[in-house]
Amino acid sequence: MADAPRSSRAINSVHQDEIWKAHVGLEKNSADVWPNKWGFLTEVYKEFERDCAELKRSSPVGLPCSPAATEKPFQVIASPAVPLTSQAVIGWRSSRLDMKLEKFVTLRHGRRSFKQELGWSCV
């Protein structure tokens, strides 16, 4: 990769050193302040690790320690046969009632006007 073109301005090394000192000071200050502002996160993480270790001890070997492991498993149904034509492939799963993407509610919105909802005149 080519180097950046040099400018004709002189470099003030004292000024660059002051900028570097300010950056280092800010990093040090941030490291000193972090435990007071965000130190509670380390305690929550340690508590999570303890709970996870207890779950590993009480659960059978091979089960992962995760929230998904405690949830009720869902049933996977068999897929229907793939259509023979490429035109029939589009939407072939959504045509079956048991394979719809909208499992709970179909959202329908009528025509609405933002101006009418606010009670503004449509001029």
Side-chain angles (χ1 to χ4, degrees), residues 4 6 16 23 28 35 39 47 65 72 80 82 84-85 95 100:
R6 289 186 168 211
Q16 294 294 328
H23 282 289
K28 185 178 182 322
E47 181 180 328
C65 178
K72 187 173 120 179
V82 179
L84 298 176
T85 62
S95 64
K100 291 235 180 248

Side-chain angles (χ1 to χ4, degrees), residues 62-81:
L63 288 179
C65 178
S66 68
T70 60
E71 292 177 2
K72 187 173 120 179
F74 57 92
Q75 182 181 5
V76 179
I77 58 173
S79 294

Side-chain angles (χ1 to χ4, degrees), residues 56-114:
K56 282 184 180 178
R57 274 187 264 122
S58 65
S59 66
V61 178
L63 288 179
C65 178
S66 68
T70 60
E71 292 177 2
K72 187 173 120 179
F74 57 92
Q75 182 181 5
V76 179
I77 58 173
S79 294
V82 179
L84 298 176
T85 62
S86 61
Q87 184 176 2
V89 169
I90 298 172
W92 67 287
R93 285 183 180 257
S94 63
S95 64
R96 295 188 46 148
L97 291 177
D98 56 342
M99 294 192 171
K100 291 235 180 248
L101 294 176
E102 295 85 15
K103 292 207 180 260
F104 303 108
V105 180
T106 303
L107 298 175
R108 292 189 176 102
H109 298 288
R111 292 186 173 257
R112 298 186 317 203
S113 171
F114 182 67

